[in-house]
Amino acid sequence: MLDAMTFDSRDSRYKQPYGAVPSGTQVSLTLRPLRTEGFSQAVLIAYFESSQERRLELPMAWDGIDGDRDVLKVILDTGDHVGLIWYSFRLEGLDGRQEELGPYQLTVYDGTDQVPGWFGEGVTYQIFPDRFRRTRVPDPTGMPGGRTVHTSWREEPEYRPDQNGEVRNRDFFGGDLKGVMEKLPYLHDLGVETIYFCPIFEAPENHRYGTGDYEKIDPMLGTEEDFKALCDAAHKLGMKIMLDGVFNHQGYVSRYFNGDGSYPENGACQSQDSPYYKWYNFSHWPDKYDSWWGIYSLPAVNEGEPSYRDYIFGDENSIVRRWLRAGADAWRLDVADELPDDFVHGIHQAVRETNPEAVVIGEVWEDGSTKIAYGVRRKHILGGHCDGLMNYPFRNSLLGYLMGGDAVHFKNTMETIRENYPPFAFHSAMNFLGTHDTPRILTLLGYGGDGQDHDKDWRASYFLTPEQYLLGRSKLMLGALVLFAFPGSPMIYYGDEAGIEGFEDPFNRRTYRWEMADDVLRRWYASLGKARRELPALRRGSIRWWKAEGKLLSFLREGEGQPVLTAVNIGKAPELITLPWAAKDWMTGMELPAGQVALPPMTGWLLTPYRPGNR
């Protein structure tokens, strides 16, 4: 049986260069089997996925002896291939026996695309616009969707079905763009460099993921002039704006589908002569049609229809281009894996043509390099599609560690991502602990789960006990430390830095109650934001794992400015860690000597080199 030292794809002694490679790269591969195994020869087997099922078998050349091991080498030329290469090794013994190693994944990407680096450097802040800040109680009269407005900002969102058994999400709180404008100084002090907005275009539901009109800012949020003013003000503070592009489906109540006839123009539901009729797939017009996950209020769009493509990204004044010109700096693509690859490529091309410094981030919940959707391996991060992805693997594996898991599982998950992703995608990942689609991280950590062991009425009214709150806050602070120190953009879901609680939607979408914010958490996040802004190693540095074992998680960021060592102990007992230099903790100012020190339980350090006497 071959031992672990025969091949390691993450070790430069066995594979160079590391991880994903641009097309045209010659990859050096080395085997080191024990001499006592008696292997006489080895063959590399490479399968070029999506390239006419191309398969290579290359003999490996014997290259001498390394201690008690034979050394066999081969060069794999990736040629003009873009996609995945699955490779394995067949070793043949003097006695005729054969053993195989693999398969291993090699991601080959288009290296000609110049990806702007700014997104992965700084802090992102996600705003659910209806719940962040309002400057007035709006009047919903005349607005599409039959909306109601909570007069009190401190009321709870509606979650019970109506008389028809539907949860319609038509209750609004009235957060607006001017409210965000008021809080720009707060966001700047928090270290935010990108504001990511959930959808802001006119739509009947409070989440606005069923777009009613891509050309119009929702009137409850404000006007196009308000949006432009917000972008200008944010840019003056060094912040960029990312919009949510929901292009896979639209609203039943929309100018395009117009299911309830609330828009004056004929939509696809009113007439088959409507310019929008071909945008949808009707099995029986007008009442049976494809919809997102079978939800009738979110009719799915036919992304292959040329007129729809022109409207979204093809035409000179298409939606993607228009809002970039209005001041946006980036697009986040909702359910990116449900959009055809060539559709995403078209958006990417339109974005770059409009603003070469703008970026496209995709919503994908798995490893984006191996994602298969609708039977097709997706091209999300092979170049010319998404510049980065939402990093749910980061969130899930870090959450597992914070809930008591072994740090090595977080390390292994992240090393898989680092190995599989092109460098631009790894460093432009959107990392987070929570979003509008997940329970509040404070509640998860404090309660110890998602509350699904109780009914929805219980989850709606549940708030953490004081003991649970303190436990959740302590774990959240450690999780945030890892989040801000890791490669990729650390993303804060609005209010996580202030102690907002709640289980799943809509309880994770409560209003930001500014007067009740937790100052301990806010100061912690602000200090982390300052570190992310001021320490070049956190913005652009490489990562080297220091020790990830049991309850201790530590890694080094280096290569840009002074190195930074992150160390977290989620356990109940001290953990020993060896410091490479005398250090100062960024978060507390505490000074530590070089060498072995004890990291107390439930404690995290963000360490930079320190020489006594140098202040």
Side-chain angles (χ1 to χ4, degrees):
M1 185 69 181
L2 295 166
D3 70 342
M5 296 296 291
T6 303
F7 182 74
D8 183 351
S9 64
R10 297 173 185 170
D11 188 326
S12 61
R13 294 177 299 164
Y14 300 87
K15 176 179 176 290
Q16 291 186 13
Y18 176 89
V21 298
S23 181
T25 300
Q26 293 196 334
V27 180
S28 173
L29 298 166
T30 302
L31 291 180
R32 284 182 168 81
L34 286 166
R35 296 221 81 199
T36 55
E37 295 281 358
F39 290 110
S40 60
Q41 59 183 353
V43 175
L44 169 72
I45 305 164
Y47 167 63
F48 291 67
E49 187 176 277
S50 74
S51 288
Q52 299 178 332
E53 311 304 316
R54 183 182 172 207
R55 188 175 184 272
L56 288 180
E57 290 201 12
L58 300 174
M60 301 185 72
W62 186 80
D63 196 52
I65 300 173
D66 181 6
D68 59 352
R69 295 176 180 274
D70 287 305
V71 178
L72 300 106
K73 290 182 177 289
V74 70
I75 298 295
L76 175 60
D77 188 349
T78 59
D80 59 0
H81 179 74
V82 173
L84 301 186
I85 298 177
W86 299 97
Y87 65 96
S88 57
F89 306 96
R90 184 175 67 242
L91 291 95
E92 300 176 2
L94 292 168
D95 55 1
R97 66 192 168 87
Q98 295 184 350
E99 289 200 41
E100 288 208 9
L101 276 177
Y104 300 91
Q105 175 183 331
L106 174 63
T107 304
V108 184
Y109 61 95
D110 179 359
T112 62
D113 183 29
Q114 298 299 308
V115 179
W118 58 264
F119 176 72
E121 295 185 2
V123 178
T124 299
Y125 192 91
Q126 181 186 4
I127 291 178
F128 192 84
D130 187 56
R131 311 289 161 84
F132 182 66
R133 174 77 169 176
R134 74 180 180 190
T135 57
R136 81 283 187 258
V137 179
D139 179 1
T141 303
M143 297 182 187
R147 312 179 188 196
T148 61
V149 176
H150 295 268
T151 55
S152 171
W153 189 247
R154 295 183 62 175
E155 291 177 14
E156 291 293 315
E158 294 289 341
Y159 69 92
R160 293 187 180 91
D162 62 14
Q163 63 272 19
N164 297 318
E166 297 181 72
V167 179
R168 293 175 58 81
N169 297 298
R170 303 297 171 88
D171 63 311
F172 286 75
F173 283 84
D176 54 36
L177 297 182
K178 288 182 178 178
V180 178
M181 179 93 81
E182 284 184 358
K183 290 300 180 180
L184 286 180
Y186 164 79
L187 295 175
H188 183 263
D189 290 345
L190 204 58
V192 172
E193 296 182 39
T194 301
I195 300 172
Y196 155 43
F197 281 104
C198 289
I200 61 172
F201 305 123
E202 182 172 81
E205 293 96 0
N206 53 46
H207 51 70
R208 299 188 174 94
Y209 278 94
T211 309
D213 189 343
Y214 294 107
E215 299 178 35
K216 185 179 180 182
I217 300 293
D218 192 276
M220 200 168 279
L221 290 174
T223 64
E224 186 169 339
E225 289 67 34
D226 292 332
F227 175 74
K228 290 178 177 178
L230 173 61
C231 291
D232 288 343
H235 291 159
K236 289 175 182 175
L237 290 173
M239 291 187 277
K240 298 182 184 292
I241 302 295
M242 176 183 290
L243 295 180
D244 212 331
V246 187
F247 303 133
N248 165 266
H249 52 270
Q250 296 167 351
Y252 179 83
V253 178
S254 69
R255 59 177 284 201
Y256 317 105
F257 196 80
N258 208 5
D260 67 345
S262 61
Y263 285 83
E265 182 182 5
N266 276 344
C269 245
Q270 279 75 48
S271 171
Q272 297 184 39
D273 293 326
S274 166
Y276 311 121
Y277 174 74
K278 292 183 180 179
W279 289 15
Y280 309 94
N281 294 313
F282 288 93
S283 56
H284 182 274
W285 183 83
D287 56 334
K288 293 182 180 179
Y289 48 88
D290 291 347
S291 60
W292 186 72
W293 287 29
I295 302 172
Y296 85 90
S297 61
L298 298 174
V301 180
N302 174 15
E303 297 99 340
E305 167 56 36
S307 64
Y308 182 64
R309 290 179 171 230
D310 287 342
Y311 181 73
I312 296 299
F313 60 80
D315 287 346
E316 183 60 25
N317 198 36
S318 61
I319 297 304
V320 165
R321 300 172 191 266
R322 168 184 174 166
W323 290 106
L324 288 174
R325 293 194 189 103
D329 305 279
W331 283 96
R332 177 262 194 187
L333 300 184
D334 184 62
V335 294
D337 49 7
E338 298 187 35
L339 297 169
D341 282 327
D342 61 344
F343 190 92
V344 175
H345 175 68
I347 291 174
H348 182 273
Q349 189 171 18
V351 166
R352 286 292 202 277
E353 289 174 356
T354 307
N355 178 2
E357 286 299 304
V359 300
V360 178
I361 304 297
E363 180 197 14
V364 178
W365 285 56
E366 302 86 6
D367 180 334
S369 70
T370 56
K371 175 69 179 184
I372 295 177
Y374 302 99
V376 177
R377 182 85 71 189
R378 307 312 302 271
K379 300 178 180 179
H380 295 311
I381 49 176
L382 296 180
H385 291 78
C386 297
D387 301 312
L389 302 175
M390 296 185 72
N391 200 348
Y392 275 93
F394 172 91
R395 182 249 179 193
N396 296 339
S397 57
L398 182 54
L399 183 60
Y401 167 67
L402 296 172
M403 301 281 276
D406 194 316
V408 73
H409 296 304
F410 174 75
K411 172 190 172 182
N412 289 341
T413 301
M414 290 300 95
E415 278 300 278
T416 298
I417 295 295
R418 187 165 78 99
E419 184 177 18
N420 288 353
Y421 280 30
F424 73 80
F426 181 71
H427 286 275
S428 291
M430 180 189 282
N431 301 332
F432 50 85
L433 291 167
T435 73
H436 65 292
D437 286 326
T438 65
R440 285 283 178 178
I441 183 62
L442 180 64
T443 299
L444 277 177
L445 294 174
Y447 177 72
D450 59 10
Q452 294 296 318
D453 50 339
H454 295 276
D455 64 26
K456 199 163 188 175
D457 286 337
W458 182 91
R459 297 196 299 278
S461 59
Y462 188 82
F463 287 88
L464 300 174
T465 66
E467 294 77 17
Q468 288 174 331
Y469 185 91
L470 291 176
L471 175 64
R473 185 174 71 180
S474 296
K475 289 187 174 184
L476 174 53
M477 291 167 73
L478 298 181
L481 183 65
V482 176
L483 173 68
F484 276 69
F486 206 79
S489 177
M491 194 269 279
I492 307 167
Y493 180 46
Y494 83 100
D496 277 353
E497 83 284 6
I500 293 183
E501 299 180 37
F503 287 109
E504 80 281 9
D505 165 28
F507 317 121
N508 60 351
R509 303 174 182 182
R510 291 185 169 110
T511 56
Y512 191 132
R513 299 170 188 178
W514 293 89
E515 72 285 357
M516 298 172 65
D518 184 328
D519 281 337
V520 172
L521 267 179
R522 283 208 294 202
R523 287 195 299 269
W524 183 262
Y525 271 86
S527 185
L528 289 172
K530 189 170 187 288
R532 188 71 188 212
R533 180 173 280 162
E534 296 183 7
L535 297 176
L538 297 188
R539 297 178 69 79
R540 295 178 294 276
S542 60
I543 183 172
R544 178 156 59 100
W545 297 97
W546 199 247
K547 185 177 181 182
E549 183 180 306
K551 305 306 178 188
L552 177 63
L553 174 63
S554 58
F555 53 89
L556 196 66
R557 299 291 306 279
E558 56 190 352
E560 295 278 345
Q562 61 182 349
V564 180
L565 178 64
T566 300
V568 169
N569 177 10
I570 199 68
K572 297 179 180 179
E575 292 281 347
L576 294 178
I577 183 171
T578 301
L579 304 185
W581 15 254
K584 176 179 278 190
D585 179 25
W586 175 278
M587 306 304 291
T588 63
M590 180 178 61
E591 300 170 13
L592 295 161
Q596 194 173 76
V597 297
L599 177 58
M602 295 298 293
T603 300
W605 293 334
L606 192 65
L607 304 175
T608 56
Y610 171 68
R611 293 181 181 177
N614 290 1
R615 299 289 177 180

